[in-house]
Amino acid sequence: MSGITSEPFIPFSRTSIGEEEIREVVDTLRSGWLTTGPRTAKFEAEFAAYVGAPHALAVNSCTAALHLALRALGLKSGDEVITTPLTFCATVNTILEVGATPVLADIGGDGNLDPKSVEARITDRTRAVVPVHLGGLACEMEPLWRLAARHGLKVVEDAAHAVGTHYRGFPIGAGLPAEGMRSDAVAYSFYATKNLTTGEGGMVTTHDQGMLEKMRVLSLHGIDKDAWNRYAEKGKWFYEVVDVGYKYNLSDIQSAIGLHQLRKQEEFVRRRTRIAQIYSRAFADIEEVEVPPQATNGRHCWHLYILRLNTHRLTMNRDEFVEELRRRGIGTSVHFIPIPMHPAYKEWAGLPQNHCPRAMALYPRIVSLPLYPSMMEREVERVTDAVREIVRRARRGRARYRGAAAS
Ligand SMILES: *Cc1c(COP(=O)(O)O)cnc(C)c1O
């Protein structure tokens, strides 16, 4: 190892799986019911209650959740869907998968979709908006919902980072208690590195029963289970495929994990918030970095701590900064490589209507620091010490100051 520390490596992400999760998985295995069943039904009900949505459908990823929502809304070839360039590829892949055209709008100072940029990109082909709550910081949803109402657009929230995030006093998924102030569907991720995990998994919530039913049918091959009831005389073996669907259901083994993760989520959010506060306090007086924006519209769930480097004040770039942290035994990540930078998207994302200068300018400045409930005080301190030390060595002003002092 080419590090400069003998201390153990602090990974970027670490799961918090307890005995409760392990016991529930073992119980599930012993129960004989492994696929979607009673534990998934329970997980759906408890998750819906947690996010304040009337309906929840458990699926095997957030990607599946996004795909089902877009399919159930009837999006198709020729439709335009506006989303952010600062997101994971799954957000645009699912738009492309239903045959629609992604349109990128630029971000605001918070790193989330800027409603003004969204408005500027609405055409007569725009059908939907897919905002992403980057790192767990809620998008300013109200202007987006107003735009959607005015232009007849659907809204599907990519809440992969936002289990535990609140917007204006309500969890993401609940919407606001006012006419039109909610989304058509909200998609969550339980991937291994997310702030609530089932290893792989996801959930999609909605306030619309019809939408739930469409997504449920599409999530299981397009099989209409009600056929069992309609043709009861045929017996339990009968079913009808009423749409061309997918295999997106979540297993009871995964739901067993999710049930207990969900019950700990409030405590997880508290611990993440505490660490984020320690980071922000430790970096507040360093001009070479900018701490991530606080929530001004609700509760940040602190899925990610995205530090912004003021690279013009540093003698090193972000990639070198990442390498310096790694040499000190600290893992990091970058959220995200902007969509236009991926070869698969170049053709459409490079078009002038997708030009997002603010996202492109932010990208070379961002680095996500380790942040998870099981981080120990000593680990948090090692991260803050390392950032401060790297910055001290790479401070541009220092060289200038020395020069000035010598003259
Ligand atoms: C992780 C992630 C997804 C995909 O989640 P999966 O559960 O892995 O499919 C989608 N959008 C964003 C913003 C993500 O970070």
Side-chain angles (χ1 to χ4, degrees):
M1 212 180 114
S2 64
I4 55 172
T5 175
S6 56
E7 293 202 73
F9 193 76
I10 303 172
F12 166 66
S13 162
R14 196 192 274 143
T15 53
S16 292
I17 297 294
E19 285 307 312
E20 300 85 355
E21 284 88 334
I22 293 166
R23 228 175 297 130
E24 192 79 34
V25 166
V26 172
D27 287 350
T28 308
L29 295 174
R30 291 195 207 281
S31 79
W33 193 282
L34 306 188
T35 184
T36 313
R39 283 182 172 84
T40 302
K42 198 168 174 192
F43 185 34
E44 288 173 341
E46 291 190 17
F47 192 88
Y50 181 76
V51 303
H55 311 292
L57 175 70
V59 288
N60 56 20
S61 70
C62 180
T63 307
L66 289 166
H67 189 200
L68 288 177
L70 298 174
R71 263 291 309 264
L73 289 169
L75 289 162
K76 56 187 191 312
S77 175
D79 295 342
E80 291 178 0
V81 179
I82 300 176
T83 191
T84 169
L86 213 58
T87 187
F88 186 57
C89 58
T91 319
V92 296
N93 281 349
T94 49
I95 296 169
L96 290 162
E97 188 58 38
V98 297
T101 304
V103 172
L104 304 174
D106 212 349
I107 56 168
D110 60 357
N112 284 326
L113 261 187
D114 173 10
K116 286 199 190 70
S117 178
V118 171
E119 185 167 19
R121 298 206 174 171
I122 293 174
T123 72
D124 55 8
R125 285 184 301 278
T126 309
R127 295 288 174 269
V129 183
V130 182
V132 178
H133 307 290
L134 186 69
L137 178 67
C139 289
E140 203 39 77
M141 290 305 298
E142 220 183 298
L144 292 178
W145 285 325
R146 286 191 200 289
L147 277 178
R150 187 154 5 113
H151 296 271
L153 312 178
K154 305 295 184 185
V155 180
V156 176
E157 292 172 54
D158 180 337
H161 303 176
V163 183
T165 295
H166 289 188
Y167 177 66
R168 306 221 177 153
F170 295 88
I172 291 296
L176 296 178
E179 182 65 25
M181 293 291 113
R182 63 172 59 118
S183 299
D184 294 274
V186 182
Y188 307 84
S189 175
F190 309 139
Y191 178 64
T193 59
K194 296 299 186 341
N195 66 347
L196 185 163
T197 187
T198 60
E200 298 280 358
M203 192 78 78
V204 55
T205 63
T206 178
H207 289 251
D208 179 343
Q209 174 99 36
M211 181 77 184
L212 172 77
E213 292 314 322
K214 276 186 202 163
M215 292 192 291
R216 194 184 292 287
V217 167
L218 285 169
S219 75
L220 250 182
H221 310 289
I223 291 174
D224 182 4
K225 284 198 196 153
D226 289 340
W228 281 341
N229 303 327
R230 275 203 302 279
Y231 303 97
E233 75 278 7
K234 286 190 190 281
K236 280 284 184 195
W237 57 269
F238 192 76
Y239 61 85
E240 277 178 328
V241 176
V242 296
D243 204 341
V244 181
Y246 315 96
K247 182 70 167 79
Y248 282 167
N249 57 306
L250 192 72
S251 78
D252 262 24
I253 304 169
Q254 292 158 308
S255 294
I257 305 170
L259 272 169
H260 291 279
Q261 288 274 291
L262 184 62
R263 290 169 195 172
K264 299 173 187 176
Q265 186 67 356
E266 285 300 298
E267 176 58 22
F268 286 166
V269 172
R270 270 193 293 276
R271 287 199 221 172
R272 286 173 176 277
T273 304
R274 206 143 53 219
I275 296 165
Q277 282 170 348
I278 295 171
Y279 280 162
S280 286
R281 254 181 246 131
F283 306 144
D285 62 336
I286 312 177
E287 287 182 64
E288 289 75 14
V289 302
E290 195 181 317
V291 301
Q294 302 275 326
T296 55
N297 60 14
R299 183 177 82 171
H300 202 315
C301 78
W302 291 106
H303 168 52
L304 299 174
Y305 190 92
I306 306 175
L307 189 68
R308 300 175 179 197
L309 306 179
N310 289 328
T311 38
H312 63 285
R313 291 178 181 274
L314 291 165
T315 56
M316 64 171 66
N317 63 26
R318 186 267 319 277
D319 298 1
E320 289 160 337
F321 193 89
V322 164
E323 174 57 19
E324 286 300 315
L325 282 171
R326 195 198 58 79
R327 293 201 326 131
R328 286 162 180 79
I330 296 163
T332 56
S333 190
V334 173
H335 298 89
F336 284 98
I337 301 162
I339 293 299
M341 294 185 66
H342 295 293
Y345 309 136
K346 280 239 162 74
E347 204 177 308
W348 59 267
L351 297 172
Q353 61 263 41
N354 294 310
H355 189 49
C356 293
R358 288 194 298 265
M360 299 308 282
L362 184 60
Y363 165 64
R365 298 179 49 206
I366 49 178
V367 52
S368 302
L369 301 181
L371 176 65
Y372 33 91
S374 67
M375 264 187 106
M376 289 173 296
E377 220 169 285
R378 172 75 195 121
E379 292 178 314
V380 177
E381 196 180 296
R382 269 182 60 200
V383 175
T384 56
D385 286 352
V387 168
R388 293 183 66 95
E389 195 228 349
I390 295 165
V391 164
R392 197 160 51 237
R393 286 160 170 260
R395 193 166 273 164
R396 260 195 208 289
R398 190 175 67 165
R400 256 206 312 275
Y401 177 77
R402 273 205 193 133
S407 65

